[in-house]
CSV table of all heavy atoms in Angstrom, one decimal:
chain,number,residue,atom,x,y,z
A,1,MET,N,-25.9,5.0,-16.8
A,1,MET,CA,-24.4,5.1,-16.7
A,1,MET,C,-23.8,3.7,-16.3
A,1,MET,O,-24.3,3.0,-15.5
A,1,MET,CB,-24.0,6.1,-15.5
A,1,MET,CG,-24.2,7.5,-16.0
A,1,MET,SD,-23.1,8.0,-17.2
A,1,MET,CE,-21.5,7.8,-16.4
A,2,PRO,N,-22.8,3.4,-17.0
A,2,PRO,CA,-22.0,2.2,-16.6
A,2,PRO,C,-21.3,2.2,-15.3
A,2,PRO,O,-21.1,3.4,-14.8
A,2,PRO,CB,-21.1,2.0,-17.8
A,2,PRO,CG,-20.8,3.3,-18.3
A,2,PRO,CD,-22.1,4.1,-18.1
A,3,LYS,N,-21.1,1.1,-14.7
A,3,LYS,CA,-20.4,1.1,-13.4
A,3,LYS,C,-18.9,1.5,-13.7
A,3,LYS,O,-18.4,1.2,-14.7
A,3,LYS,CB,-20.5,-0.3,-12.8
A,3,LYS,CG,-21.9,-0.7,-12.4
A,3,LYS,CD,-21.8,-2.1,-11.8
A,3,LYS,CE,-23.2,-2.5,-11.4
A,3,LYS,NZ,-23.2,-3.9,-10.9
A,4,MET,N,-18.3,2.0,-12.6
A,4,MET,CA,-16.8,2.3,-12.7
A,4,MET,C,-16.1,1.0,-12.4
A,4,MET,O,-16.6,0.1,-11.5
A,4,MET,CB,-16.5,3.4,-11.7
A,4,MET,CG,-17.0,4.7,-12.0
A,4,MET,SD,-16.6,5.9,-10.8
A,4,MET,CE,-14.9,6.1,-10.9
A,5,LYS,N,-15.0,0.8,-13.0
A,5,LYS,CA,-14.2,-0.4,-12.7
A,5,LYS,C,-13.2,-0.2,-11.6
A,5,LYS,O,-12.5,0.9,-11.6
A,5,LYS,CB,-13.5,-0.9,-13.9
A,5,LYS,CG,-14.5,-1.5,-14.9
A,5,LYS,CD,-13.8,-2.4,-15.9
A,5,LYS,CE,-14.8,-3.2,-16.7
A,5,LYS,NZ,-14.1,-4.1,-17.7
A,6,THR,N,-13.0,-1.1,-10.8
A,6,THR,CA,-11.9,-1.1,-9.8
A,6,THR,C,-10.6,-1.5,-10.5
A,6,THR,O,-10.5,-2.4,-11.2
A,6,THR,CB,-12.2,-2.2,-8.7
A,6,THR,OG1,-13.4,-1.7,-8.0
A,6,THR,CG2,-11.1,-2.2,-7.7
A,7,HIS,N,-9.5,-0.8,-10.1
A,7,HIS,CA,-8.2,-1.1,-10.7
A,7,HIS,C,-7.7,-2.2,-9.8
A,7,HIS,O,-7.3,-2.1,-8.7
A,7,HIS,CB,-7.3,0.2,-10.5
A,7,HIS,CG,-6.0,0.0,-11.2
A,7,HIS,ND1,-5.0,-0.8,-10.8
A,7,HIS,CD2,-5.5,0.7,-12.3
A,7,HIS,CE1,-4.0,-0.7,-11.5
A,7,HIS,NE2,-4.3,0.2,-12.5
A,8,LYS,N,-7.6,-3.4,-10.5
A,8,LYS,CA,-7.3,-4.6,-9.7
A,8,LYS,C,-5.9,-4.7,-9.2
A,8,LYS,O,-5.6,-5.2,-8.1
A,8,LYS,CB,-7.5,-5.9,-10.6
A,8,LYS,CG,-9.0,-6.0,-10.9
A,8,LYS,CD,-9.8,-6.3,-9.6
A,8,LYS,CE,-11.1,-6.9,-9.8
A,8,LYS,NZ,-11.8,-7.1,-8.6
A,9,GLY,N,-4.9,-3.9,-9.8
A,9,GLY,CA,-3.6,-3.9,-9.4
A,9,GLY,C,-3.6,-3.2,-8.1
A,9,GLY,O,-2.9,-3.5,-7.1
A,10,ALA,N,-4.3,-2.0,-8.0
A,10,ALA,CA,-4.3,-1.3,-6.8
A,10,ALA,C,-5.1,-2.1,-5.7
A,10,ALA,O,-4.7,-2.0,-4.5
A,10,ALA,CB,-5.0,0.1,-7.0
A,11,ALA,N,-6.2,-2.8,-6.1
A,11,ALA,CA,-7.0,-3.4,-5.1
A,11,ALA,C,-6.2,-4.5,-4.3
A,11,ALA,O,-6.5,-4.8,-3.2
A,11,ALA,CB,-8.2,-4.1,-5.8
A,12,LYS,N,-5.2,-5.1,-5.0
A,12,LYS,CA,-4.4,-6.1,-4.3
A,12,LYS,C,-3.4,-5.5,-3.4
A,12,LYS,O,-2.8,-6.2,-2.5
A,12,LYS,CB,-3.7,-6.9,-5.5
A,12,LYS,CG,-4.6,-7.8,-6.3
A,12,LYS,CD,-4.0,-8.4,-7.5
A,12,LYS,CE,-5.0,-9.0,-8.4
A,12,LYS,NZ,-4.4,-9.5,-9.6
A,13,ARG,N,-3.0,-4.2,-3.6
A,13,ARG,CA,-1.9,-3.6,-2.8
A,13,ARG,C,-2.4,-2.7,-1.7
A,13,ARG,O,-1.6,-2.4,-0.7
A,13,ARG,CB,-1.0,-2.7,-3.8
A,13,ARG,CG,-0.3,-3.6,-4.8
A,13,ARG,CD,0.4,-2.7,-5.8
A,13,ARG,NE,1.3,-3.5,-6.6
A,13,ARG,CZ,1.0,-4.3,-7.6
A,13,ARG,NH1,-0.3,-4.5,-8.0
A,13,ARG,NH2,1.9,-5.0,-8.3
A,14,PHE,N,-3.6,-2.3,-1.8
A,14,PHE,CA,-4.1,-1.3,-0.7
A,14,PHE,C,-5.4,-1.7,-0.1
A,14,PHE,O,-6.3,-2.2,-0.8
A,14,PHE,CB,-4.3,0.2,-1.4
A,14,PHE,CG,-3.1,0.7,-2.1
A,14,PHE,CD1,-2.9,0.6,-3.4
A,14,PHE,CD2,-2.1,1.3,-1.3
A,14,PHE,CE1,-1.8,1.1,-4.0
A,14,PHE,CE2,-0.9,1.8,-1.9
A,14,PHE,CZ,-0.9,1.7,-3.3
A,15,LYS,N,-5.5,-1.4,1.1
A,15,LYS,CA,-6.8,-1.7,1.9
A,15,LYS,C,-7.3,-0.4,2.5
A,15,LYS,O,-6.5,0.3,3.1
A,15,LYS,CB,-6.6,-2.8,2.9
A,15,LYS,CG,-6.2,-4.2,2.3
A,15,LYS,CD,-7.3,-4.8,1.7
A,15,LYS,CE,-6.9,-6.2,1.0
A,15,LYS,NZ,-6.9,-6.2,-0.5
A,16,LYS,N,-8.6,-0.3,2.6
A,16,LYS,CA,-9.1,0.9,3.3
A,16,LYS,C,-9.4,0.7,4.7
A,16,LYS,O,-9.9,-0.4,5.1
A,16,LYS,CB,-10.4,1.3,2.6
A,16,LYS,CG,-10.8,2.8,2.8
A,16,LYS,CD,-11.9,3.1,1.9
A,16,LYS,CE,-12.2,4.6,1.9
A,16,LYS,NZ,-13.3,5.0,1.0
A,17,THR,N,-9.1,1.6,5.6
A,17,THR,CA,-9.2,1.4,7.1
A,17,THR,C,-10.6,1.9,7.4
A,17,THR,O,-11.3,2.5,6.5
A,17,THR,CB,-8.2,2.2,7.9
A,17,THR,OG1,-8.4,3.6,7.5
A,17,THR,CG2,-6.8,1.8,7.5
A,18,GLY,N,-11.0,1.7,8.6
A,18,GLY,CA,-12.4,2.1,9.1
A,18,GLY,C,-12.5,3.5,9.0
A,18,GLY,O,-13.7,4.0,8.8
A,19,SER,N,-11.5,4.3,9.2
A,19,SER,CA,-11.6,5.7,9.1
A,19,SER,C,-11.5,6.4,7.8
A,19,SER,O,-11.5,7.6,7.6
A,19,SER,CB,-10.5,6.4,10.1
A,19,SER,OG,-9.2,6.1,9.6
A,20,GLY,N,-11.3,5.5,6.7
A,20,GLY,CA,-11.2,6.0,5.4
A,20,GLY,C,-9.9,6.2,4.8
A,20,GLY,O,-9.7,6.7,3.7
A,21,LYS,N,-8.9,5.9,5.6
A,21,LYS,CA,-7.5,6.1,5.1
A,21,LYS,C,-7.0,4.8,4.4
A,21,LYS,O,-7.8,3.7,4.5
A,21,LYS,CB,-6.5,6.3,6.3
A,21,LYS,CG,-6.8,7.6,7.0
A,21,LYS,CD,-5.9,7.8,8.1
A,21,LYS,CE,-6.3,9.1,8.9
A,21,LYS,NZ,-5.5,9.2,10.2
A,22,PHE,N,-5.9,4.8,3.7
A,22,PHE,CA,-5.5,3.6,3.0
A,22,PHE,C,-4.3,3.1,3.6
A,22,PHE,O,-3.4,3.9,3.9
A,22,PHE,CB,-5.3,3.9,1.5
A,22,PHE,CG,-6.5,4.2,0.8
A,22,PHE,CD1,-7.0,5.4,0.5
A,22,PHE,CD2,-7.2,3.0,0.2
A,22,PHE,CE1,-8.2,5.5,-0.2
A,22,PHE,CE2,-8.4,3.2,-0.5
A,22,PHE,CZ,-8.9,4.4,-0.8
A,23,LYS,N,-4.2,1.8,3.8
A,23,LYS,CA,-2.9,1.2,4.3
A,23,LYS,C,-2.2,0.4,3.2
A,23,LYS,O,-2.8,-0.1,2.3
A,23,LYS,CB,-3.1,0.3,5.6
A,23,LYS,CG,-4.0,-0.8,5.4
A,23,LYS,CD,-4.1,-1.6,6.7
A,23,LYS,CE,-4.9,-2.9,6.5
A,23,LYS,NZ,-4.9,-3.7,7.7
A,24,ARG,N,-0.9,0.3,3.4
A,24,ARG,CA,0.0,-0.3,2.4
A,24,ARG,C,1.1,-1.1,3.1
A,24,ARG,O,1.4,-0.8,4.3
A,24,ARG,CB,0.5,0.7,1.4
A,24,ARG,CG,1.4,1.7,2.0
A,24,ARG,CD,2.2,2.5,1.1
A,24,ARG,NE,3.1,3.5,1.8
A,24,ARG,CZ,4.3,3.3,2.1
A,24,ARG,NH1,4.8,2.0,2.0
A,24,ARG,NH2,5.0,4.2,2.6
A,25,ALA,N,1.7,-2.0,2.3
A,25,ALA,CA,2.9,-2.6,2.8
A,25,ALA,C,4.1,-1.8,2.4
A,25,ALA,O,4.1,-0.9,1.5
A,25,ALA,CB,3.0,-4.0,2.2
A,26,HIS,N,5.2,-2.1,3.1
A,26,HIS,CA,6.5,-1.5,2.8
A,26,HIS,C,7.2,-2.1,1.6
A,26,HIS,O,7.0,-3.4,1.4
A,26,HIS,CB,7.5,-1.5,4.0
A,26,HIS,CG,7.2,-0.5,4.9
A,26,HIS,ND1,6.5,-0.8,6.2
A,26,HIS,CD2,7.4,0.8,5.1
A,26,HIS,CE1,6.4,0.3,6.9
A,26,HIS,NE2,7.0,1.3,6.2
A,27,ALA,N,8.0,-1.4,0.9
A,27,ALA,CA,8.7,-2.0,-0.2
A,27,ALA,C,10.1,-2.5,0.4
A,27,ALA,O,10.3,-2.3,1.6
A,27,ALA,CB,9.0,-0.9,-1.2
A,28,TYR,N,10.9,-3.1,-0.4
A,28,TYR,CA,12.3,-3.5,-0.1
A,28,TYR,C,12.4,-4.7,0.9
A,28,TYR,O,13.2,-4.8,1.7
A,28,TYR,CB,13.2,-2.4,0.4
A,28,TYR,CG,13.2,-1.2,-0.4
A,28,TYR,CD1,12.6,0.0,-0.1
A,28,TYR,CD2,13.9,-1.3,-1.6
A,28,TYR,CE1,12.5,1.1,-1.0
A,28,TYR,CE2,14.0,-0.2,-2.5
A,28,TYR,CZ,13.3,1.0,-2.1
A,28,TYR,OH,13.3,2.1,-3.0
A,29,HIS,N,11.3,-5.5,0.9
A,29,HIS,CA,11.2,-6.6,1.8
A,29,HIS,C,11.0,-8.0,1.1
A,29,HIS,O,10.6,-8.9,1.6
A,29,HIS,CB,10.1,-6.5,2.8
A,29,HIS,CG,10.2,-7.4,4.0
A,29,HIS,ND1,11.3,-7.5,4.8
A,29,HIS,CD2,9.4,-8.4,4.5
A,29,HIS,CE1,11.1,-8.4,5.7
A,29,HIS,NE2,10.0,-9.0,5.6
A,30,SER,N,11.4,-8.0,-0.2
A,30,SER,CA,11.1,-9.2,-0.9
A,30,SER,C,12.4,-10.1,-1.3
A,30,SER,O,12.4,-11.3,-1.3
A,30,SER,CB,10.4,-8.9,-2.3
A,30,SER,OG,11.1,-8.0,-3.0
A,31,HIS,N,13.6,-9.4,-1.4
A,31,HIS,CA,14.8,-10.1,-1.7
A,31,HIS,C,16.0,-9.2,-1.3
A,31,HIS,O,15.8,-8.2,-0.8
A,31,HIS,CB,14.8,-10.5,-3.3
A,31,HIS,CG,15.0,-9.3,-4.1
A,31,HIS,ND1,16.0,-8.8,-4.7
A,31,HIS,CD2,14.0,-8.4,-4.5
A,31,HIS,CE1,15.8,-7.7,-5.4
A,31,HIS,NE2,14.4,-7.5,-5.3
A,32,ILE,N,17.2,-9.9,-1.4
A,32,ILE,CA,18.4,-9.3,-0.9
A,32,ILE,C,18.3,-8.9,0.6
A,32,ILE,O,18.5,-7.7,0.9
A,32,ILE,CB,18.9,-8.1,-1.8
A,32,ILE,CG1,18.8,-8.4,-3.2
A,32,ILE,CG2,20.3,-7.7,-1.4
A,32,ILE,CD1,19.2,-7.2,-4.2
A,33,LEU,N,17.8,-9.8,1.4
A,33,LEU,CA,17.6,-9.5,2.8
A,33,LEU,C,18.7,-9.8,3.7
A,33,LEU,O,18.8,-9.4,4.9
A,33,LEU,CB,16.4,-10.4,3.4
A,33,LEU,CG,15.0,-10.2,2.6
A,33,LEU,CD1,14.0,-11.1,3.0
A,33,LEU,CD2,14.5,-8.8,2.7
A,34,THR,N,19.8,-10.4,3.2
A,34,THR,CA,21.0,-10.8,4.0
A,34,THR,C,21.8,-9.5,4.5
A,34,THR,O,22.2,-9.5,5.6
A,34,THR,CB,21.9,-11.7,3.3
A,34,THR,OG1,22.2,-11.1,2.0
A,34,THR,CG2,21.3,-13.1,3.1
A,35,LYS,N,21.8,-8.5,3.6
A,35,LYS,CA,22.5,-7.3,4.0
A,35,LYS,C,21.7,-6.3,4.9
A,35,LYS,O,22.3,-5.4,5.4
A,35,LYS,CB,23.0,-6.6,2.8
A,35,LYS,CG,22.1,-6.1,1.8
A,35,LYS,CD,22.6,-5.3,0.7
A,35,LYS,CE,23.2,-6.1,-0.3
A,35,LYS,NZ,23.6,-5.4,-1.6
A,36,LYS,N,20.4,-6.6,5.0
A,36,LYS,CA,19.5,-5.7,5.8
A,36,LYS,C,19.6,-6.2,7.2
A,36,LYS,O,19.4,-7.4,7.5
A,36,LYS,CB,18.1,-5.6,5.2
A,36,LYS,CG,18.1,-5.0,3.9
A,36,LYS,CD,16.8,-5.2,3.1
A,36,LYS,CE,16.9,-4.8,1.7
A,36,LYS,NZ,15.9,-5.3,0.8
A,37,ASP,N,19.7,-5.3,8.2
A,37,ASP,CA,19.7,-5.7,9.6
A,37,ASP,C,18.3,-6.1,10.1
A,37,ASP,O,17.3,-5.7,9.5
A,37,ASP,CB,20.4,-4.7,10.5
A,37,ASP,CG,19.6,-3.4,10.5
A,37,ASP,OD1,19.9,-2.6,9.5
A,37,ASP,OD2,18.9,-3.1,11.4
A,38,SER,N,18.3,-6.9,11.2
A,38,SER,CA,17.0,-7.4,11.7
A,38,SER,C,16.0,-6.4,12.0
A,38,SER,O,14.8,-6.6,11.8
A,38,SER,CB,17.3,-8.3,12.9
A,38,SER,OG,18.2,-9.3,12.5
A,39,LYS,N,16.5,-5.3,12.6
A,39,LYS,CA,15.5,-4.2,12.9
A,39,LYS,C,14.9,-3.6,11.7
A,39,LYS,O,13.7,-3.4,11.7
A,39,LYS,CB,16.3,-3.1,13.7
A,39,LYS,CG,15.4,-1.9,14.1
A,39,LYS,CD,16.3,-0.8,14.7
A,39,LYS,CE,15.5,0.4,15.2
A,39,LYS,NZ,16.2,1.4,15.8
A,40,ARG,N,15.6,-3.4,10.6
A,40,ARG,CA,15.0,-2.9,9.4
A,40,ARG,C,14.0,-3.9,8.8
A,40,ARG,O,12.9,-3.5,8.4
A,40,ARG,CB,16.2,-2.6,8.4
A,40,ARG,CG,15.7,-2.0,7.1
A,40,ARG,CD,16.9,-1.6,6.3
A,40,ARG,NE,16.6,-1.3,4.9
A,40,ARG,CZ,17.5,-1.2,3.9
A,40,ARG,NH1,18.7,-1.4,4.1
A,40,ARG,NH2,17.1,-0.9,2.7
A,41,LYS,N,14.4,-5.2,8.7
A,41,LYS,CA,13.5,-6.1,8.2
A,41,LYS,C,12.1,-6.2,9.0
A,41,LYS,O,11.1,-6.4,8.5
A,41,LYS,CB,14.2,-7.5,8.2
A,41,LYS,CG,15.2,-7.6,7.1
A,41,LYS,CD,15.7,-8.9,6.8
A,41,LYS,CE,16.8,-9.3,7.9
A,41,LYS,NZ,17.5,-10.5,7.6
A,42,ARG,N,12.3,-6.2,10.3
A,42,ARG,CA,11.1,-6.1,11.2
A,42,ARG,C,10.2,-5.0,11.0
A,42,ARG,O,9.0,-5.2,11.0
A,42,ARG,CB,11.6,-6.2,12.7
A,42,ARG,CG,10.6,-6.6,13.7
A,42,ARG,CD,11.3,-7.0,15.0
A,42,ARG,NE,12.2,-6.0,15.6
A,42,ARG,CZ,13.5,-6.3,15.7
A,42,ARG,NH1,14.1,-7.4,15.4
A,42,ARG,NH2,14.3,-5.3,16.2
A,43,ARG,N,10.8,-3.8,10.7
A,43,ARG,CA,9.9,-2.7,10.4
A,43,ARG,C,9.3,-2.7,9.1
A,43,ARG,O,8.2,-2.2,8.9
A,43,ARG,CB,10.7,-1.4,10.6
A,43,ARG,CG,11.2,-1.2,12.1
A,43,ARG,CD,11.5,0.2,12.5
A,43,ARG,NE,10.4,1.1,12.1
A,43,ARG,CZ,10.6,2.4,12.3
A,43,ARG,NH1,11.7,2.9,12.5
A,43,ARG,NH2,9.5,3.2,12.0
A,44,LEU,N,9.9,-3.4,8.2
A,44,LEU,CA,9.4,-3.4,6.8
A,44,LEU,C,8.2,-4.5,6.7
A,44,LEU,O,7.3,-4.4,5.8
A,44,LEU,CB,10.5,-4.0,5.9
A,44,LEU,CG,11.5,-3.0,5.5
A,44,LEU,CD1,12.7,-3.6,4.7
A,44,LEU,CD2,11.1,-1.8,4.8
A,45,ARG,N,8.1,-5.4,7.8
A,45,ARG,CA,7.0,-6.3,7.8
A,45,ARG,C,5.7,-5.6,8.1
A,45,ARG,O,4.6,-6.0,7.8
A,45,ARG,CB,7.3,-7.4,8.9
A,45,ARG,CG,8.1,-8.6,8.5
A,45,ARG,CD,7.9,-9.8,9.3
A,45,ARG,NE,8.3,-9.5,10.8
A,45,ARG,CZ,9.4,-9.8,11.3
A,45,ARG,NH1,10.4,-10.5,10.6
A,45,ARG,NH2,9.7,-9.7,12.6
A,46,GLN,N,5.8,-4.4,8.9
A,46,GLN,CA,4.6,-3.8,9.3
A,46,GLN,C,4.0,-3.0,8.2
A,46,GLN,O,4.6,-2.6,7.2
A,46,GLN,CB,4.9,-2.8,10.4
A,46,GLN,CG,5.4,-3.5,11.7
A,46,GLN,CD,6.1,-2.6,12.6
A,46,GLN,OE1,6.2,-1.4,12.4
A,46,GLN,NE2,6.5,-3.1,13.8
A,47,THR,N,2.7,-2.6,8.3
A,47,THR,CA,2.0,-1.8,7.4
A,47,THR,C,2.1,-0.4,7.8
A,47,THR,O,2.3,-0.1,8.9
A,47,THR,CB,0.5,-2.2,7.2
A,47,THR,OG1,-0.1,-2.1,8.5
A,47,THR,CG2,0.3,-3.6,6.6
A,48,THR,N,1.8,0.5,6.8
A,48,THR,CA,1.9,1.9,7.0
A,48,THR,C,0.7,2.6,6.2
A,48,THR,O,0.1,1.9,5.4
A,48,THR,CB,3.3,2.6,6.7
A,48,THR,OG1,3.2,3.9,7.2
A,48,THR,CG2,3.5,2.5,5.2
A,49,LEU,N,0.4,3.9,6.5
A,49,LEU,CA,-0.6,4.5,5.9
A,49,LEU,C,-0.1,5.2,4.6
A,49,LEU,O,1.1,5.7,4.5
A,49,LEU,CB,-1.3,5.7,6.7
A,49,LEU,CG,-2.1,5.0,8.0
A,49,LEU,CD1,-2.5,6.2,8.8
A,49,LEU,CD2,-3.2,4.2,7.5
A,50,VAL,N,-0.9,5.3,3.6
A,50,VAL,CA,-0.5,6.1,2.3
A,50,VAL,C,-0.5,7.5,2.6
A,50,VAL,O,-1.3,8.0,3.3
A,50,VAL,CB,-1.6,5.6,1.2
A,50,VAL,CG1,-1.4,6.5,0.0
A,50,VAL,CG2,-1.5,4.1,0.9
A,51,ASN,N,0.5,8.1,2.0
A,51,ASN,CA,0.7,9.6,2.2
A,51,ASN,C,-0.6,10.3,1.7
A,51,ASN,O,-1.3,9.9,0.8
A,51,ASN,CB,1.8,10.1,1.4
A,51,ASN,CG,2.3,11.4,1.7
A,51,ASN,OD1,1.4,12.4,1.6
A,51,ASN,ND2,3.5,11.6,2.3
A,52,ALA,N,-1.1,11.4,2.5
A,52,ALA,CA,-2.3,12.2,2.1
A,52,ALA,C,-2.3,12.7,0.8
A,52,ALA,O,-3.3,12.8,0.1
A,52,ALA,CB,-2.4,13.2,3.1
A,53,VAL,N,-1.1,13.0,0.1
A,53,VAL,CA,-1.1,13.4,-1.2
A,53,VAL,C,-1.5,12.5,-2.2
A,53,VAL,O,-2.1,12.8,-3.3
A,53,VAL,CB,0.4,13.9,-1.5
A,53,VAL,CG1,0.6,14.4,-2.9
A,53,VAL,CG2,0.9,14.9,-0.6
A,54,GLU,N,-1.4,11.1,-2.0
A,54,GLU,CA,-1.7,10.1,-2.9
A,54,GLU,C,-3.2,9.6,-2.7
A,54,GLU,O,-3.7,8.8,-3.6
A,54,GLU,CB,-0.7,8.9,-2.7
A,54,GLU,CG,0.7,9.3,-2.9
A,54,GLU,CD,1.2,9.8,-4.2
A,54,GLU,OE1,0.5,9.4,-5.1
A,54,GLU,OE2,2.1,10.6,-4.2
A,55,VAL,N,-3.8,10.0,-1.7
A,55,VAL,CA,-5.1,9.5,-1.4
A,55,VAL,C,-6.2,9.8,-2.5
A,55,VAL,O,-6.9,8.9,-2.9
A,55,VAL,CB,-5.7,10.0,0.0
A,55,VAL,CG1,-7.1,9.6,0.2
A,55,VAL,CG2,-4.8,9.3,1.1
A,56,LYS,N,-6.1,11.0,-3.1
A,56,LYS,CA,-7.0,11.3,-4.1
A,56,LYS,C,-6.9,10.4,-5.4
A,56,LYS,O,-7.9,10.1,-6.0
A,56,LYS,CB,-6.8,12.8,-4.5
A,56,LYS,CG,-7.8,13.4,-5.5
A,56,LYS,CD,-7.5,14.8,-5.8
A,56,LYS,CE,-8.4,15.4,-6.9
A,56,LYS,NZ,-8.2,16.8,-7.2
A,57,LYS,N,-5.7,10.0,-5.7
A,57,LYS,CA,-5.4,9.1,-6.8
A,57,LYS,C,-6.1,7.8,-6.5
A,57,LYS,O,-6.7,7.1,-7.3
A,57,LYS,CB,-4.0,8.9,-7.1
A,57,LYS,CG,-3.2,10.2,-7.6
A,57,LYS,CD,-1.8,9.9,-7.8
A,57,LYS,CE,-1.1,11.2,-8.0
A,57,LYS,NZ,0.4,11.0,-8.1
A,58,LEU,N,-5.8,7.3,-5.3
A,58,LEU,CA,-6.3,6.0,-4.9
A,58,LEU,C,-7.8,5.9,-4.8
A,58,LEU,O,-8.4,4.9,-5.2
A,58,LEU,CB,-5.8,5.6,-3.5
A,58,LEU,CG,-4.5,4.9,-3.5
A,58,LEU,CD1,-4.1,4.6,-2.0
A,58,LEU,CD2,-4.4,3.7,-4.2
A,59,LYS,N,-8.5,7.0,-4.5
A,59,LYS,CA,-10.0,7.0,-4.5
A,59,LYS,C,-10.5,6.8,-5.9
A,59,LYS,O,-11.6,6.2,-6.1
A,59,LYS,CB,-10.5,8.4,-3.8
A,59,LYS,CG,-10.3,8.3,-2.4
A,59,LYS,CD,-10.9,9.5,-1.6
A,59,LYS,CE,-10.8,9.4,-0.2
A,59,LYS,NZ,-11.4,10.5,0.5
A,60,LYS,N,-9.8,7.3,-6.9
A,60,LYS,CA,-10.2,7.1,-8.3
A,60,LYS,C,-10.0,5.7,-8.8
A,60,LYS,O,-10.8,5.1,-9.4
A,60,LYS,CB,-9.4,8.1,-9.2
A,60,LYS,CG,-9.9,9.5,-9.2
A,60,LYS,CD,-9.1,10.3,-10.2
A,60,LYS,CE,-10.0,10.8,-11.3
A,60,LYS,NZ,-9.3,11.7,-12.3
A,61,LEU,N,-8.9,5.1,-8.3
A,61,LEU,CA,-8.6,3.7,-8.6
A,61,LEU,C,-9.5,2.7,-8.0
A,61,LEU,O,-9.8,1.6,-8.5
A,61,LEU,CB,-7.1,3.4,-8.4
A,61,LEU,CG,-6.1,4.2,-9.2
A,61,LEU,CD1,-4.6,3.8,-8.6
A,61,LEU,CD2,-6.1,3.9,-10.6
A,62,LEU,N,-9.8,3.0,-6.7
A,62,LEU,CA,-10.6,2.1,-5.9
A,62,LEU,C,-12.0,2.8,-5.5
A,62,LEU,O,-12.2,3.1,-4.3
A,62,LEU,CB,-9.9,1.7,-4.6
A,62,LEU,CG,-8.6,1.1,-4.9
A,62,LEU,CD1,-7.8,1.0,-3.6
A,62,LEU,CD2,-8.7,-0.2,-5.5
A,63,PRO,N,-12.9,3.0,-6.5
A,63,PRO,CA,-14.2,3.6,-6.2
A,63,PRO,C,-15.1,2.9,-5.2
A,63,PRO,O,-15.8,3.7,-4.5
A,63,PRO,CB,-14.9,3.8,-7.5
A,63,PRO,CG,-14.2,2.7,-8.4
A,63,PRO,CD,-12.9,2.5,-7.8
A,64,TYR,N,-15.0,1.6,-5.0
A,64,TYR,CA,-15.9,0.9,-4.2
A,64,TYR,C,-15.2,0.4,-2.9
A,64,TYR,O,-15.8,-0.4,-2.1
A,64,TYR,CB,-16.6,-0.2,-4.9
A,64,TYR,CG,-17.2,0.2,-6.1
A,64,TYR,CD1,-16.7,0.0,-7.4
A,64,TYR,CD2,-18.4,1.0,-6.1
A,64,TYR,CE1,-17.4,0.5,-8.6
A,64,TYR,CE2,-19.0,1.5,-7.2
A,64,TYR,CZ,-18.5,1.2,-8.4
A,64,TYR,OH,-19.2,1.7,-9.5
A,65,ALA,N,-13.9,0.8,-2.6
A,65,ALA,CA,-13.2,0.3,-1.5
A,65,ALA,C,-13.7,1.0,-0.3
A,65,ALA,O,-14.2,2.1,-0.3
A,65,ALA,CB,-11.7,0.6,-1.7
């Protein structure tokens, strides 16, 4: 059997945690930052976990993560 390929677009955006969950960055933090207040921008810098509904899809995209 051939090896499965890692989806490189997903590999650059998601990392697996020690417990097997996936973490991701927030959207809306790349441009048009002047109208967003400091509290919102500060929270967008932090990472968050991927919703449990999407984890099954990510496991297919990242078989070796």
Side-chain angles (χ1 to χ4, degrees):
M1 281 297 293
K3 294 180 182 177
M4 293 176 68
K5 287 199 171 186
T6 297
H7 190 289
K8 289 304 192 177
K12 293 168 188 176
R13 290 170 173 82
F14 302 99
K15 298 287 176 241
K16 203 170 195 182
T17 64
S19 61
K21 297 175 182 174
F22 288 94
K23 63 180 184 175
R24 65 170 178 85
H26 280 100
Y28 307 108
H29 192 60
S30 56
H31 62 102
I32 314 176
L33 298 172
T34 50
K35 64 174 77 169
K36 295 169 189 161
D37 60 281
S38 301
K39 180 181 178 182
R40 182 175 169 195
K41 289 187 281 189
R42 194 161 53 243
R43 295 207 47 193
L44 290 173
R45 280 200 297 262
Q46 299 167 353
T47 58
T48 187
L49 293 176
V50 172
N51 194 298
V53 177
E54 308 294 333
V55 170
K56 188 177 176 184
K57 293 178 193 173
L58 271 180
K59 285 185 177 177
K60 283 183 112 173
L61 295 174
L62 304 171
Y64 304 109

